[in-house]
Amino acid sequence: MDLVVGATGDLGGRITRRLLEQGEQVRVLVRDTSDVSPLKAAGAELAFGDLREILTVDAACKGIDRIISTATGASRGGDDSVDAVDRKGHATLLRCAESAGVPRIVYVSATGFKSDSPVDLARAKATTAEAIRSSGLSYTILQPTFFMESWIGFVVGAQLRLGDTVQVIGDPARRYGFVAVENVADLVLSVLDHPDAQRADIPLSAGSCSYQQIVGWIAKAIDRDLQVHSVPPSSAIEGFPPILNELWSFAATGGMGPLTTPKVAEKFGFEMIRPRAFVQDFFGTD
Ligand SMILES: NC(=O)c1ccc[n+]([C@@H]2O[C@H](COP(=O)([O-])OP(=O)(O)OC[C@H]3O[C@@H](n4cnc5c(N)ncnc54)[C@H](OP(=O)(O)O)[C@@H]3O)[C@@H](O)[C@H]2O)c1
């Protein structure tokens, strides 16, 4: 049986649905504060709990063959701080997995997340990844680049609802790697039993481009005259979550750069959604 932690999130939800469609048995560690009815309807076994509550994590790990964790406190806030969820919560998960004899874990980190990063989320995820590597479990640590749904769909889409100017932190011509959430789910599903993915870190990126290019493609797709306005790193775009502004400043000052991994998709057998195709699909009218 698989245990998905983060199943009420975007990526974890896709992974859970696809595992169930493949006929796998899936348990999900979920909080009753989130809407779990779609997971229940899809056939998941609900284990109510919280990464911050060790007894619930311990119970959820019993009888599990593979853990997939996509959980993060970054988008939640309050008691779900980065420290409580991404650092301590995952230390708890690993401890419970080891004591329950779970053989394998797949963990979603990100490209460029290192233990000496100025961003706490990056440091916390790097610490968790290191603990997983040092554990006795077979593991795969995924290192995707910026999710297009967040960093193009939300970042540009939210600004276009307010006007024709898109604010960009740092140089608009700077290129970053991007990947679609569905492709991250493709990779998770493919690595679960793959012999080449045991005790491995795998980066994933569909393509690299700049916000200047992205805004140009969107302007064409929606037939609007759009402007790009650059703000310096360390400034915040109003209305955006603090973690997003912080990560963008980190990326804009060299923390993340261009990356494309065509061989990963080829090896694990799926088609990458390229940034331009994503833009057309997300913003286009036809
Ligand atoms: N966005 C990007 O560009 C990007 C890039 C690279 C990697 N990643 C990583 O990809 C992963 C998946 O992202 P996503 O967009 O699917 O995340 P998401 O939609 O924000 O989902 C976060 C999940 O974590 C769960 N969670 C939070 N605190 C918890 C706790 N205390 N106990 C148990 N569960 C808890 C949430 O459950 P509730 O619904 O109950 O709150 C939710 O299911 C994350 O680890 C993220 O860091 C993201």
Side-chain angles (χ1 to χ4, degrees):
M1 174 172 286
D2 295 319
L3 174 67
V4 179
V5 186
T8 50
D10 189 4
L11 176 58
R14 290 175 201 242
I15 293 165
T16 304
R17 280 191 297 280
R18 288 178 56 177
L19 282 170
L20 290 165
E21 279 161 19
Q22 288 179 6
E24 302 289 345
Q25 285 185 295
V26 185
R27 184 182 294 160
V28 290
L29 178 73
V30 285
R31 281 98 65 85
D32 56 11
T33 43
S34 279
D35 180 12
V36 295
S37 45
L39 295 167
K40 192 174 176 193
E45 179 189 311
L46 306 183
F48 284 101
D50 193 303
L51 282 171
R52 292 181 282 114
E53 295 163 11
I54 190 163
L55 293 180
T56 64
V57 181
D58 198 45
C61 286
K62 295 265 178 332
I64 291 296
D65 302 301
R66 306 180 296 200
I67 293 175
I68 299 146
S69 180
T70 66
T72 180
S75 47
R76 295 300 187 257
D79 290 341
D80 292 320
S81 64
V82 163
D83 190 49
V85 179
D86 296 85
R87 193 177 278 112
K88 292 182 184 139
H90 278 80
T92 298
L93 180 63
L94 194 56
R95 186 137 54 98
C96 293
E98 284 180 311
S99 89
V102 177
R104 176 149 174 74
I105 185 165
V106 174
Y107 176 62
V108 179
S109 182
T111 292
F113 279 13
K114 302 204 178 94
S115 52
D116 60 354
S117 170
V119 179
D120 191 36
L121 175 67
R123 287 197 304 277
K125 284 197 155 248
T127 301
T128 293
E130 195 42 52
I132 290 172
R133 285 185 208 104
S134 310
S135 75
L137 275 72
S138 163
Y139 67 83
T140 310
I141 295 166
L142 270 50
Q143 296 168 336
T145 48
F146 279 159
F147 289 0
M148 295 192 236
E149 287 77 359
S150 317
W151 290 91
I152 300 178
F154 171 75
V155 158
V156 183
Q159 299 195 62
L160 293 185
R161 280 194 286 282
L162 302 175
D164 290 334
T165 299
V166 177
Q167 292 191 83
V168 168
I169 296 183
D171 181 358
R174 189 178 191 100
R175 293 165 70 243
Y176 303 104
F178 292 92
V179 67
V181 175
E182 195 61 22
N183 280 154
V184 186
D186 285 329
L187 185 58
V188 170
L189 274 282
S190 309
V191 301
L192 278 173
D193 290 323
H194 202 291
D196 295 343
Q198 310 300 313
R199 305 192 75 79
D201 285 52
I202 306 180
L204 185 70
S205 188
S208 301
C209 54
S210 68
Y211 277 98
Q212 210 159 48
Q213 287 174 301
I214 291 167
V215 173
W217 296 333
I218 295 171
K220 244 189 203 157
I222 63 176
D223 196 20
R224 262 166 73 182
D225 187 16
L226 304 177
Q227 279 83 47
V228 176
H229 174 71
S230 167
V231 299
S234 296
S235 42
I237 297 180
E238 208 187 314
F240 279 10
I243 184 68
L244 195 151
N245 285 319
E246 195 187 358
L247 274 171
W248 200 346
S249 289
F250 170 59
T253 49
M256 295 175 207
L259 181 71
T260 310
T261 61
K263 288 199 174 132
V264 174
E266 201 181 295
K267 177 175 194 160
F268 292 101
F270 56 91
E271 289 284 315
M272 286 280 216
I273 301 161
R274 309 272 300 165
R276 190 159 191 175
F278 173 86
V279 163
Q280 189 55 45
D281 188 50
F282 195 92
F283 292 94
T285 45
D286 48 45

